[in-house]
Amino acid sequence: MTLSKRTSRKIAAYQQELIKTHYAEVETMYRKMRGWRHDYRNHIQTMKSYAQNGDLEAIKSYLDDLDQDLRTVDTVIKTGNPMTDAILNSKISLARDKGIKVIADANIPVLLKFSELDLCSIIGNLFDNAIEASVGLPEDKRVIRVYMDTKDTHLYISFMNFTSGKKLRKIGGSYLSTKGGEHGLGLGRIDAIVKKLSGYLSRNSEDGVFTTEILLPEPDIPDR
């Protein structure tokens, strides 16, 4: 077997595993939501009991706890594309569980001329890389910024996260992953998809900030 065939098989296997992981993350998020809804009646009954006893302080404390709990399962992003919503919200939930703040602004057409699986693979890999880079940083640096929108006939994707301050090394115009292994495959997978879709990709590591910008051509924008 040639090296290129072995690499292709390795990337294909990695992609399948990545999709399984994404689906598992989405399922976990929805399981949390279903659990909260199941407990809704119990929450109401508890607060009614506090109200009957005139214990307003207990009601306030209980509502504060519920609000915090709901924040962990609430759908925070609605892009207009259901599959993208699922992957974005699952990754945002994962980031929050690791103490990482996510600032996201995303708008995506419902219909795309390219595969939604390709788009979710790009988003998932970008998020995984940003989360891994953020975990070990001081609290004020654990921030990921995501922006997605249509620009003329292109879908624009931008990810930004802080780094440890060390400028990442480049070989042949490509940044090297400090993680290697699957992390390195993730970067390669993004490159391969963008190339397949005749898109544009730019990465920049400067002053402790790592940014990735991607343009994917010809999203099919429905009438609004």
Side-chain angles (χ1 to χ4, degrees):
M1 185 184 297
T2 65
L3 179 61
S4 60
K5 286 184 178 180
R6 285 199 299 269
T7 302
S8 296
R9 287 191 176 184
K10 192 173 182 181
I11 290 175
Y14 167 73
Q15 183 183 19
Q16 290 300 318
E17 187 61 32
L18 188 68
I19 291 172
K20 289 180 182 178
T21 300
H22 291 344
Y23 277 125
E25 290 170 354
V26 172
E27 177 59 29
T28 297
M29 181 184 69
Y30 285 132
R31 192 182 302 118
K32 288 181 181 179
M33 293 177 68
R34 289 194 296 268
W36 199 93
R37 289 169 179 167
H38 179 74
D39 291 339
Y40 179 78
R41 183 178 296 275
N42 292 332
H43 296 318
I44 293 297
Q45 290 175 344
T46 300
M47 285 187 287
K48 280 184 175 180
S49 176
Y50 288 143
Q52 288 174 355
N53 294 329
D55 194 344
L56 296 181
E57 195 61 35
I59 293 176
K60 180 180 182 302
S61 177
Y62 198 83
L63 286 172
D64 287 342
D65 289 342
L66 285 179
D67 181 57
Q68 183 62 36
D69 187 51
L70 184 58
R71 287 176 188 273
T72 66
V73 298
D74 192 23
T75 301
V76 293
I77 293 294
K78 293 182 180 179
T79 66
N81 184 280
M83 186 176 289
T84 305
D85 290 350
I87 188 64
L88 275 176
N89 286 297
S90 70
K91 292 298 183 183
I92 289 173
S93 178
L94 182 65
R96 285 179 171 177
D97 287 345
K98 295 179 180 293
I100 301 169
K101 181 180 180 180
V102 178
I103 302 171
D105 181 7
N107 175 49
I108 299 175
V110 176
L111 301 176
L112 299 170
K113 287 187 177 179
F114 48 83
S115 167
E116 289 182 327
L117 287 178
D118 282 341
L119 178 58
C120 287
S121 184
I122 289 174
I123 295 171
N125 277 299
L126 287 172
F127 241 122
D128 287 343
N129 293 348
I131 288 173
E132 287 186 14
S134 302
V135 167
L137 298 179
E139 185 175 351
D140 64 329
K141 296 293 186 181
R142 293 200 297 268
V143 179
I144 299 172
R145 295 181 185 272
V146 181
Y147 180 76
M148 303 174 67
D149 204 351
T150 53
K151 291 183 177 293
D152 298 324
T153 60
H154 289 68
L155 179 64
Y156 175 73
I157 303 170
S158 172
F159 270 68
M160 184 283 291
N161 60 270
F162 292 100
T163 67
S164 61
K166 295 180 180 179
K167 191 170 182 178
L168 300 183
R169 291 190 299 129
K170 292 175 92 174
I171 289 183
S174 297
Y175 283 97
L176 293 178
S177 167
T178 58
K179 296 287 185 179
E182 290 189 354
H183 192 84
L185 283 175
L187 293 176
R189 183 62 190 152
I190 294 171
D191 294 350
I193 294 173
V194 173
K195 182 178 179 180
K196 180 182 73 173
L197 298 176
S198 300
Y200 167 83
L201 185 149
S202 173
R203 295 187 180 99
N204 186 52
S205 175
E206 200 74 41
D207 298 327
V209 176
F210 189 80
T211 58
T212 302
E213 293 182 291
I214 295 173
L215 280 173
L216 301 176
E218 297 184 348
D220 190 2
I221 305 175
D223 294 334
R224 298 181 184 270

